[in-house]
mmCIF file of all heavy atoms in Angstrom:
data_model
loop_
_atom_site.group_PDB
_atom_site.id
_atom_site.type_symbol
_atom_site.label_atom_id
_atom_site.label_comp_id
_atom_site.label_asym_id
_atom_site.label_seq_id
_atom_site.Cartn_x
_atom_site.Cartn_y
_atom_site.Cartn_z
ATOM 1 N N GLU M 1 50.450 99.518 -134.705
ATOM 2 C CA GLU M 1 51.750 100.034 -134.422
ATOM 3 C C GLU M 1 52.173 99.888 -132.936
ATOM 4 O O GLU M 1 53.283 100.277 -132.595
ATOM 5 C CB GLU M 1 51.786 101.552 -134.773
ATOM 6 C CG GLU M 1 51.505 101.854 -136.209
ATOM 7 C CD GLU M 1 51.433 103.315 -136.515
ATOM 8 O OE1 GLU M 1 51.361 104.127 -135.543
ATOM 9 O OE2 GLU M 1 51.449 103.690 -137.681
ATOM 10 N N LEU M 2 51.349 99.274 -132.105
ATOM 11 C CA LEU M 2 51.657 99.192 -130.694
ATOM 12 C C LEU M 2 52.677 98.104 -130.430
ATOM 13 O O LEU M 2 53.469 98.181 -129.512
ATOM 14 C CB LEU M 2 50.370 98.934 -129.879
ATOM 15 C CG LEU M 2 49.461 100.138 -129.715
ATOM 16 C CD1 LEU M 2 48.193 99.760 -128.959
ATOM 17 C CD2 LEU M 2 50.182 101.242 -128.972
ATOM 18 N N SER M 3 52.687 97.042 -131.218
ATOM 19 C CA SER M 3 53.651 95.949 -131.019
ATOM 20 C C SER M 3 55.045 96.443 -131.325
ATOM 21 O O SER M 3 55.216 97.258 -132.200
ATOM 22 C CB SER M 3 53.290 94.757 -131.864
ATOM 23 O OG SER M 3 51.994 94.277 -131.516
ATOM 24 N N ASP M 4 55.993 95.902 -130.502
ATOM 25 C CA ASP M 4 57.421 96.286 -130.756
ATOM 26 C C ASP M 4 57.814 95.809 -132.164
ATOM 27 O O ASP M 4 58.667 96.435 -132.781
ATOM 28 C CB ASP M 4 58.324 95.658 -129.709
ATOM 29 C CG ASP M 4 58.145 96.352 -128.364
ATOM 30 O OD1 ASP M 4 57.372 97.265 -128.353
ATOM 31 O OD2 ASP M 4 58.805 95.938 -127.445
ATOM 32 N N MET M 5 57.253 94.704 -132.542
ATOM 33 C CA MET M 5 57.539 94.217 -133.939
ATOM 34 C C MET M 5 56.176 94.182 -134.606
ATOM 35 O O MET M 5 55.413 93.202 -134.563
ATOM 36 C CB MET M 5 58.179 92.867 -133.923
ATOM 37 C CG MET M 5 59.506 92.825 -133.193
ATOM 38 S SD MET M 5 60.270 91.203 -133.313
ATOM 39 C CE MET M 5 60.616 91.100 -135.050
ATOM 40 N N SER M 6 55.794 95.292 -135.202
ATOM 41 C CA SER M 6 54.453 95.473 -135.756
ATOM 42 C C SER M 6 54.224 94.483 -136.868
ATOM 43 O O SER M 6 55.074 94.155 -137.672
ATOM 44 C CB SER M 6 54.317 96.892 -136.282
ATOM 45 O OG SER M 6 53.021 97.074 -136.879
ATOM 46 N N SER M 7 53.024 93.970 -136.897
ATOM 47 C CA SER M 7 52.588 93.092 -137.993
ATOM 48 C C SER M 7 51.918 93.780 -139.144
ATOM 49 O O SER M 7 51.519 93.132 -140.155
ATOM 50 C CB SER M 7 51.603 92.021 -137.394
ATOM 51 O OG SER M 7 50.470 92.659 -136.885
ATOM 52 N N CYS M 8 51.854 95.102 -139.096
ATOM 53 C CA CYS M 8 51.162 95.832 -140.154
ATOM 54 C C CYS M 8 52.151 95.911 -141.348
ATOM 55 O O CYS M 8 53.316 96.379 -141.215
ATOM 56 C CB CYS M 8 50.848 97.243 -139.706
ATOM 57 S SG CYS M 8 50.075 98.227 -140.962
ATOM 58 N N PRO M 9 51.719 95.386 -142.511
ATOM 59 C CA PRO M 9 52.642 95.477 -143.651
ATOM 60 C C PRO M 9 52.951 96.822 -144.116
ATOM 61 O O PRO M 9 53.968 97.044 -144.811
ATOM 62 C CB PRO M 9 51.858 94.631 -144.693
ATOM 63 C CG PRO M 9 50.421 94.743 -144.349
ATOM 64 C CD PRO M 9 50.427 94.819 -142.803
ATOM 65 N N ARG M 10 52.132 97.755 -143.799
ATOM 66 C CA ARG M 10 52.419 99.179 -144.222
ATOM 67 C C ARG M 10 53.510 99.834 -143.363
ATOM 68 O O ARG M 10 54.310 100.592 -143.888
ATOM 69 C CB ARG M 10 51.146 99.996 -144.206
ATOM 70 C CG ARG M 10 50.107 99.534 -145.209
ATOM 71 C CD ARG M 10 48.881 100.463 -145.245
ATOM 72 N NE ARG M 10 47.906 100.007 -146.201
ATOM 73 C CZ ARG M 10 46.784 100.658 -146.492
ATOM 74 N NH1 ARG M 10 46.449 101.731 -145.811
ATOM 75 N NH2 ARG M 10 45.914 100.163 -147.361
ATOM 76 N N THR M 11 53.482 99.564 -142.078
ATOM 77 C CA THR M 11 54.436 100.150 -141.217
ATOM 78 C C THR M 11 55.791 99.379 -141.306
ATOM 79 O O THR M 11 56.830 99.957 -141.027
ATOM 80 C CB THR M 11 53.967 100.116 -139.733
ATOM 81 O OG1 THR M 11 53.680 98.758 -139.383
ATOM 82 C CG2 THR M 11 52.725 100.945 -139.589
ATOM 83 N N ARG M 12 55.773 98.114 -141.682
ATOM 84 C CA ARG M 12 56.983 97.329 -141.810
ATOM 85 C C ARG M 12 56.930 96.632 -143.221
ATOM 86 O O ARG M 12 56.676 95.446 -143.281
ATOM 87 C CB ARG M 12 57.086 96.306 -140.735
ATOM 88 C CG ARG M 12 57.318 96.888 -139.351
ATOM 89 C CD ARG M 12 57.508 95.827 -138.282
ATOM 90 N NE ARG M 12 58.693 95.064 -138.485
ATOM 91 C CZ ARG M 12 58.758 93.781 -138.838
ATOM 92 N NH1 ARG M 12 57.616 93.163 -139.002
ATOM 93 N NH2 ARG M 12 59.858 93.144 -138.939
ATOM 94 N N PRO M 13 57.224 97.343 -144.251
ATOM 95 C CA PRO M 13 57.062 96.734 -145.593
ATOM 96 C C PRO M 13 58.177 95.717 -145.891
ATOM 97 O O PRO M 13 58.044 94.987 -146.852
ATOM 98 C CB PRO M 13 57.183 97.940 -146.513
ATOM 99 C CG PRO M 13 57.920 98.951 -145.739
ATOM 100 C CD PRO M 13 57.548 98.770 -144.307
ATOM 101 N N THR M 14 59.251 95.661 -145.071
ATOM 102 C CA THR M 14 60.386 94.738 -145.376
ATOM 103 C C THR M 14 60.168 93.358 -144.710
ATOM 104 O O THR M 14 60.995 92.500 -144.899
ATOM 105 C CB THR M 14 61.711 95.362 -144.858
ATOM 106 O OG1 THR M 14 61.563 95.598 -143.443
ATOM 107 C CG2 THR M 14 61.995 96.629 -145.560
ATOM 108 N N GLN M 15 59.075 93.194 -143.988
ATOM 109 C CA GLN M 15 58.880 91.912 -143.304
ATOM 110 C C GLN M 15 58.507 90.821 -144.344
ATOM 111 O O GLN M 15 58.025 91.159 -145.443
ATOM 112 C CB GLN M 15 57.761 92.046 -142.229
ATOM 113 C CG GLN M 15 56.372 92.362 -142.828
ATOM 114 C CD GLN M 15 55.334 92.437 -141.738
ATOM 115 O OE1 GLN M 15 55.420 91.717 -140.793
ATOM 116 N NE2 GLN M 15 54.354 93.324 -141.905
ATOM 117 N N VAL M 16 58.703 89.582 -143.949
ATOM 118 C CA VAL M 16 58.390 88.508 -144.877
ATOM 119 C C VAL M 16 56.933 88.388 -145.055
ATOM 120 O O VAL M 16 56.115 88.677 -144.173
ATOM 121 C CB VAL M 16 58.965 87.190 -144.320
ATOM 122 C CG1 VAL M 16 60.498 87.196 -144.290
ATOM 123 C CG2 VAL M 16 58.444 86.856 -142.949
ATOM 124 N N THR M 17 56.529 87.970 -146.250
ATOM 125 C CA THR M 17 55.160 87.808 -146.574
ATOM 126 C C THR M 17 54.578 86.523 -145.966
ATOM 127 O O THR M 17 55.355 85.622 -145.570
ATOM 128 C CB THR M 17 54.936 87.783 -148.063
ATOM 129 O OG1 THR M 17 55.635 86.651 -148.619
ATOM 130 C CG2 THR M 17 55.458 89.058 -148.688
ATOM 131 N N PRO M 18 53.270 86.360 -145.828
ATOM 132 C CA PRO M 18 52.709 85.072 -145.331
ATOM 133 C C PRO M 18 53.146 83.906 -146.167
ATOM 134 O O PRO M 18 53.363 82.783 -145.558
ATOM 135 C CB PRO M 18 51.220 85.323 -145.374
ATOM 136 C CG PRO M 18 51.027 86.796 -145.283
ATOM 137 C CD PRO M 18 52.207 87.420 -146.011
ATOM 138 N N ASP M 19 53.319 84.058 -147.504
ATOM 139 C CA ASP M 19 53.696 82.924 -148.263
ATOM 140 C C ASP M 19 55.191 82.568 -147.947
ATOM 141 O O ASP M 19 55.509 81.380 -147.826
ATOM 142 C CB ASP M 19 53.655 83.295 -149.767
ATOM 143 C CG ASP M 19 53.958 82.159 -150.696
ATOM 144 O OD1 ASP M 19 53.674 81.010 -150.320
ATOM 145 O OD2 ASP M 19 54.506 82.394 -151.768
ATOM 146 N N GLU M 20 56.044 83.522 -147.760
ATOM 147 C CA GLU M 20 57.409 83.205 -147.369
ATOM 148 C C GLU M 20 57.492 82.590 -146.008
ATOM 149 O O GLU M 20 58.302 81.719 -145.749
ATOM 150 C CB GLU M 20 58.255 84.508 -147.418
ATOM 151 C CG GLU M 20 58.491 85.032 -148.846
ATOM 152 C CD GLU M 20 59.266 86.376 -148.819
ATOM 153 O OE1 GLU M 20 59.009 87.140 -147.917
ATOM 154 O OE2 GLU M 20 60.054 86.537 -149.723
ATOM 155 N N ARG M 21 56.637 83.107 -145.095
ATOM 156 C CA ARG M 21 56.665 82.542 -143.735
ATOM 157 C C ARG M 21 56.202 81.080 -143.764
ATOM 158 O O ARG M 21 56.742 80.232 -143.055
ATOM 159 C CB ARG M 21 55.674 83.359 -142.812
ATOM 160 C CG ARG M 21 55.781 83.018 -141.361
ATOM 161 C CD ARG M 21 54.800 83.772 -140.553
ATOM 162 N NE ARG M 21 54.978 85.225 -140.687
ATOM 163 C CZ ARG M 21 54.127 86.038 -141.289
ATOM 164 N NH1 ARG M 21 53.030 85.570 -141.843
ATOM 165 N NH2 ARG M 21 54.406 87.368 -141.377
ATOM 166 N N ALA M 22 55.209 80.754 -144.602
ATOM 167 C CA ALA M 22 54.786 79.344 -144.714
ATOM 168 C C ALA M 22 55.879 78.460 -145.288
ATOM 169 O O ALA M 22 56.104 77.313 -144.875
ATOM 170 C CB ALA M 22 53.519 79.288 -145.530
ATOM 171 N N LYS M 23 56.636 78.997 -146.272
ATOM 172 C CA LYS M 23 57.710 78.222 -146.833
ATOM 173 C C LYS M 23 58.865 77.936 -145.825
ATOM 174 O O LYS M 23 59.372 76.825 -145.768
ATOM 175 C CB LYS M 23 58.287 78.965 -148.059
ATOM 176 C CG LYS M 23 57.312 78.990 -149.262
ATOM 177 C CD LYS M 23 57.999 79.740 -150.453
ATOM 178 C CE LYS M 23 57.063 79.753 -151.640
ATOM 179 N NZ LYS M 23 57.735 80.504 -152.747
ATOM 180 N N ILE M 24 59.137 78.937 -145.008
ATOM 181 C CA ILE M 24 60.160 78.786 -143.993
ATOM 182 C C ILE M 24 59.725 77.696 -142.968
ATOM 183 O O ILE M 24 60.511 76.843 -142.592
ATOM 184 C CB ILE M 24 60.410 80.095 -143.253
ATOM 185 C CG1 ILE M 24 61.131 81.103 -144.244
ATOM 186 C CG2 ILE M 24 61.327 79.939 -142.074
ATOM 187 C CD1 ILE M 24 61.321 82.498 -143.686
ATOM 188 N N GLY M 25 58.482 77.791 -142.541
ATOM 189 C CA GLY M 25 58.020 76.764 -141.604
ATOM 190 C C GLY M 25 58.012 75.392 -142.211
ATOM 191 O O GLY M 25 58.335 74.375 -141.479
ATOM 192 N N LYS M 26 57.689 75.257 -143.429
ATOM 193 C CA LYS M 26 57.645 73.959 -144.099
ATOM 194 C C LYS M 26 59.055 73.381 -144.262
ATOM 195 O O LYS M 26 59.276 72.192 -143.990
ATOM 196 C CB LYS M 26 57.010 74.056 -145.468
ATOM 197 C CG LYS M 26 56.843 72.783 -146.183
ATOM 198 C CD LYS M 26 56.120 72.952 -147.567
ATOM 199 C CE LYS M 26 55.944 71.600 -148.257
ATOM 200 N NZ LYS M 26 55.252 71.703 -149.533
ATOM 201 N N LEU M 27 60.060 74.227 -144.581
ATOM 202 C CA LEU M 27 61.410 73.732 -144.718
ATOM 203 C C LEU M 27 61.953 73.364 -143.373
ATOM 204 O O LEU M 27 62.756 72.372 -143.240
ATOM 205 C CB LEU M 27 62.307 74.833 -145.354
ATOM 206 C CG LEU M 27 61.997 75.103 -146.833
ATOM 207 C CD1 LEU M 27 62.810 76.367 -147.322
ATOM 208 C CD2 LEU M 27 62.361 73.896 -147.683
ATOM 209 N N LEU M 28 61.729 74.133 -142.337
ATOM 210 C CA LEU M 28 62.235 73.825 -141.015
ATOM 211 C C LEU M 28 61.739 72.516 -140.491
ATOM 212 O O LEU M 28 62.420 71.812 -139.747
ATOM 213 C CB LEU M 28 61.954 74.965 -140.061
ATOM 214 C CG LEU M 28 62.797 76.261 -140.272
ATOM 215 C CD1 LEU M 28 62.285 77.341 -139.386
ATOM 216 C CD2 LEU M 28 64.275 76.057 -139.993
ATOM 217 N N GLN M 29 60.483 72.195 -140.739
ATOM 218 C CA GLN M 29 59.886 71.001 -140.179
ATOM 219 C C GLN M 29 59.789 69.833 -141.158
ATOM 220 O O GLN M 29 59.145 68.814 -140.874
ATOM 221 C CB GLN M 29 58.425 71.343 -139.723
ATOM 222 C CG GLN M 29 58.394 72.501 -138.705
ATOM 223 C CD GLN M 29 56.991 72.874 -138.304
ATOM 224 O OE1 GLN M 29 56.392 72.272 -137.369
ATOM 225 N NE2 GLN M 29 56.427 73.870 -139.045
ATOM 226 N N ASP M 30 60.434 69.994 -142.331
ATOM 227 C CA ASP M 30 60.438 68.892 -143.286
ATOM 228 C C ASP M 30 61.399 67.823 -142.915
ATOM 229 O O ASP M 30 62.568 68.083 -142.717
ATOM 230 C CB ASP M 30 60.758 69.477 -144.675
ATOM 231 C CG ASP M 30 60.539 68.437 -145.815
ATOM 232 O OD1 ASP M 30 60.172 67.307 -145.458
ATOM 233 O OD2 ASP M 30 60.773 68.788 -146.989
ATOM 234 N N PRO M 31 60.996 66.533 -142.734
ATOM 235 C CA PRO M 31 61.934 65.463 -142.387
ATOM 236 C C PRO M 31 63.018 65.267 -143.406
ATOM 237 O O PRO M 31 64.118 64.774 -143.097
ATOM 238 C CB PRO M 31 61.001 64.241 -142.221
ATOM 239 C CG PRO M 31 59.667 64.803 -141.991
ATOM 240 C CD PRO M 31 59.602 66.048 -142.754
ATOM 241 N N LYS M 32 62.746 65.621 -144.696
ATOM 242 C CA LYS M 32 63.757 65.434 -145.714
ATOM 243 C C LYS M 32 64.895 66.372 -145.534
ATOM 244 O O LYS M 32 66.003 66.129 -146.078
ATOM 245 C CB LYS M 32 63.132 65.624 -147.080
ATOM 246 C CG LYS M 32 62.066 64.598 -147.441
ATOM 247 C CD LYS M 32 61.492 64.851 -148.802
ATOM 248 C CE LYS M 32 60.433 63.795 -149.157
ATOM 249 N NZ LYS M 32 59.833 64.049 -150.485
ATOM 250 N N CYS M 33 64.712 67.450 -144.785
ATOM 251 C CA CYS M 33 65.785 68.446 -144.543
ATOM 252 C C CYS M 33 66.367 68.311 -143.135
ATOM 253 O O CYS M 33 67.055 69.265 -142.686
ATOM 254 C CB CYS M 33 65.239 69.853 -144.744
ATOM 255 S SG CYS M 33 64.634 70.187 -146.416
#
């Protein structure tokens, strides 16, 4: 809870999941896009 943007999924249940984060990174760095 010390981080200003906590990475704890219990304290911030609305944050993106690791699977969604991986999809965002793949789309942003995909040459086809």
